[in-house]
CSV table of all heavy atoms in Angstrom, one decimal:
chain,number,residue,atom,x,y,z
A,27,LYS,N,-0.9,14.8,-15.1
A,27,LYS,CA,-1.0,15.6,-16.2
A,27,LYS,C,0.3,16.0,-16.7
A,27,LYS,O,1.1,16.6,-16.0
A,27,LYS,CB,-1.9,16.8,-15.9
A,27,LYS,CG,-3.3,16.4,-15.4
A,27,LYS,CD,-4.1,17.6,-15.0
A,27,LYS,CE,-5.5,17.2,-14.4
A,27,LYS,NZ,-6.2,18.4,-13.9
A,28,ILE,N,0.7,15.8,-18.0
A,28,ILE,CA,2.0,16.1,-18.5
A,28,ILE,C,1.9,17.2,-19.6
A,28,ILE,O,1.0,17.0,-20.5
A,28,ILE,CB,2.6,14.9,-19.1
A,28,ILE,CG1,2.7,13.7,-18.0
A,28,ILE,CG2,4.0,15.2,-19.6
A,28,ILE,CD1,3.3,12.4,-18.5
A,29,VAL,N,2.7,18.2,-19.5
A,29,VAL,CA,2.7,19.3,-20.5
A,29,VAL,C,4.2,19.5,-20.8
A,29,VAL,O,5.0,19.7,-20.0
A,29,VAL,CB,2.1,20.6,-19.9
A,29,VAL,CG1,2.3,21.8,-20.9
A,29,VAL,CG2,0.6,20.4,-19.5
A,31,LEU,N,6.7,22.1,-22.7
A,31,LEU,CA,6.6,23.5,-23.1
A,31,LEU,C,7.6,23.8,-24.2
A,31,LEU,O,8.8,23.3,-24.2
A,31,LEU,CB,7.0,24.4,-21.9
A,31,LEU,CG,6.1,24.2,-20.7
A,31,LEU,CD1,6.6,25.2,-19.6
A,31,LEU,CD2,4.7,24.5,-21.0
A,47,TYR,N,4.3,19.9,-10.4
A,47,TYR,CA,3.4,20.8,-9.7
A,47,TYR,C,2.5,20.0,-8.8
A,47,TYR,O,1.7,19.2,-9.2
A,47,TYR,CB,2.6,21.6,-10.8
A,47,TYR,CG,1.5,22.4,-10.2
A,47,TYR,CD1,1.9,23.5,-9.3
A,47,TYR,CD2,0.2,22.3,-10.5
A,47,TYR,CE1,0.9,24.3,-8.7
A,47,TYR,CE2,-0.8,23.1,-9.9
A,47,TYR,CZ,-0.4,24.1,-9.0
A,47,TYR,OH,-1.3,24.9,-8.4
A,53,GLY,N,1.1,28.3,-8.5
A,53,GLY,CA,0.3,27.8,-9.7
A,53,GLY,C,-1.1,28.2,-9.7
A,53,GLY,O,-1.9,27.7,-10.5
A,54,MET,N,-1.4,29.3,-9.0
A,54,MET,CA,-2.8,29.8,-8.9
A,54,MET,C,-3.0,31.1,-9.8
A,54,MET,O,-2.0,31.8,-9.9
A,54,MET,CB,-3.3,30.0,-7.5
A,54,MET,CG,-3.1,28.9,-6.6
A,54,MET,SD,-4.1,27.4,-7.0
A,54,MET,CE,-5.7,28.0,-6.3
A,55,ALA,N,-4.1,31.3,-10.3
A,55,ALA,CA,-4.5,32.5,-11.0
A,55,ALA,C,-5.8,32.9,-10.7
A,55,ALA,O,-6.7,32.1,-10.3
A,55,ALA,CB,-4.3,32.3,-12.5
A,63,VAL,N,-7.9,29.9,-8.8
A,63,VAL,CA,-8.0,28.6,-9.3
A,63,VAL,C,-6.7,28.2,-9.9
A,63,VAL,O,-5.9,29.0,-10.3
A,63,VAL,CB,-9.1,28.5,-10.4
A,63,VAL,CG1,-10.5,28.8,-9.8
A,63,VAL,CG2,-8.8,29.5,-11.5
A,64,PRO,N,-6.4,26.9,-10.0
A,64,PRO,CA,-5.1,26.4,-10.6
A,64,PRO,C,-5.2,26.8,-12.1
A,64,PRO,O,-6.1,26.6,-12.8
A,64,PRO,CB,-5.2,24.9,-10.4
A,64,PRO,CG,-6.1,24.7,-9.3
A,64,PRO,CD,-7.1,25.8,-9.4
A,65,PHE,N,-4.0,27.4,-12.6
A,65,PHE,CA,-4.0,27.7,-14.0
A,65,PHE,C,-3.4,26.6,-14.8
A,65,PHE,O,-2.7,25.7,-14.3
A,65,PHE,CB,-3.3,29.1,-14.2
A,65,PHE,CG,-1.8,29.0,-14.2
A,65,PHE,CD1,-1.1,28.8,-15.3
A,65,PHE,CD2,-1.1,29.2,-13.0
A,65,PHE,CE1,0.3,28.7,-15.3
A,65,PHE,CE2,0.3,29.2,-13.0
A,65,PHE,CZ,1.0,28.9,-14.2
A,66,ASN,N,-3.6,26.6,-16.1
A,66,ASN,CA,-3.1,25.6,-17.1
A,66,ASN,C,-1.7,25.8,-17.4
A,66,ASN,O,-1.3,26.9,-17.9
A,66,ASN,CB,-4.0,25.7,-18.4
A,66,ASN,CG,-3.5,24.6,-19.4
A,66,ASN,OD1,-2.6,23.9,-19.2
A,66,ASN,ND2,-4.3,24.5,-20.4
A,67,PHE,N,-0.8,25.0,-17.0
A,67,PHE,CA,0.7,25.1,-17.2
A,67,PHE,C,1.0,25.2,-18.7
A,67,PHE,O,2.1,25.6,-19.0
A,67,PHE,CB,1.5,24.1,-16.5
A,67,PHE,CG,1.8,24.5,-15.1
A,67,PHE,CD1,1.0,24.2,-14.0
A,67,PHE,CD2,3.0,25.3,-14.9
A,67,PHE,CE1,1.4,24.6,-12.7
A,67,PHE,CE2,3.3,25.7,-13.6
A,67,PHE,CZ,2.5,25.4,-12.5
A,68,GLY,N,0.1,24.8,-19.5
A,68,GLY,CA,0.4,24.9,-21.0
A,68,GLY,C,0.3,26.4,-21.4
A,68,GLY,O,0.9,26.8,-22.4
A,69,GLN,N,-0.2,27.2,-20.5
A,69,GLN,CA,-0.3,28.7,-20.8
A,69,GLN,C,0.8,29.4,-20.0
A,69,GLN,O,0.7,30.7,-19.9
A,69,GLN,CB,-1.6,29.2,-20.5
A,69,GLN,CG,-2.7,28.5,-21.4
A,69,GLN,CD,-4.1,28.9,-20.9
A,69,GLN,OE1,-4.3,29.4,-19.8
A,69,GLN,NE2,-5.1,28.7,-21.8
A,70,ILE,N,1.8,28.8,-19.4
A,70,ILE,CA,2.7,29.5,-18.5
A,70,ILE,C,3.6,30.4,-19.3
A,70,ILE,O,4.1,31.4,-18.8
A,70,ILE,CB,3.6,28.4,-17.8
A,70,ILE,CG1,4.3,29.1,-16.6
A,70,ILE,CG2,4.6,27.8,-18.8
A,70,ILE,CD1,5.0,28.2,-15.7
A,71,MET,N,3.8,30.2,-20.6
A,71,MET,CA,4.5,31.2,-21.4
A,71,MET,C,3.9,32.5,-21.4
A,71,MET,O,4.6,33.6,-21.6
A,71,MET,CB,4.7,30.6,-22.9
A,71,MET,CG,5.3,29.2,-22.9
A,71,MET,SD,7.0,29.1,-22.1
A,71,MET,CE,7.9,30.2,-23.1
A,72,GLU,N,2.6,32.6,-21.3
A,72,GLU,CA,1.9,33.9,-21.3
A,72,GLU,C,2.2,34.6,-20.0
A,72,GLU,O,2.2,35.8,-19.9
A,72,GLU,CB,0.4,33.7,-21.4
A,72,GLU,CG,-0.1,33.0,-22.7
A,72,GLU,CD,-1.5,32.7,-22.7
A,72,GLU,OE1,-2.2,33.2,-21.8
A,72,GLU,OE2,-1.9,31.9,-23.6
A,73,LYS,N,2.4,33.8,-18.9
A,73,LYS,CA,2.6,34.4,-17.6
A,73,LYS,C,4.1,34.8,-17.4
A,73,LYS,O,4.5,35.8,-16.8
A,73,LYS,CB,2.3,33.4,-16.5
A,73,LYS,CG,0.9,32.9,-16.5
A,73,LYS,CD,-0.1,34.0,-16.1
A,73,LYS,CE,-1.6,33.4,-16.1
A,73,LYS,NZ,-2.5,34.4,-15.8
A,86,VAL,N,6.2,19.7,-17.6
A,86,VAL,CA,5.5,19.8,-16.4
A,86,VAL,C,4.7,18.6,-16.2
A,86,VAL,O,3.9,18.2,-17.0
A,86,VAL,CB,4.6,21.1,-16.4
A,86,VAL,CG1,3.9,21.2,-15.1
A,86,VAL,CG2,5.4,22.4,-16.7
A,88,SER,N,1.8,17.5,-13.5
A,88,SER,CA,1.0,18.0,-12.4
A,88,SER,C,0.3,16.9,-11.7
A,88,SER,O,-0.2,15.9,-12.3
A,88,SER,CB,-0.1,19.0,-13.0
A,88,SER,OG,0.5,20.1,-13.6
Side-chain angles (χ1 to χ4, degrees):
K27 302 174 184 177
I28 302 176
V29 176
L31 305 179
Y47 175 57
M54 307 295 281
V63 295
F65 79 88
N66 182 353
F67 269 91
Q69 301 170 341
I70 195 172
M71 304 304 294
E72 299 173 13
K73 305 290 184 183
V86 182
S88 298

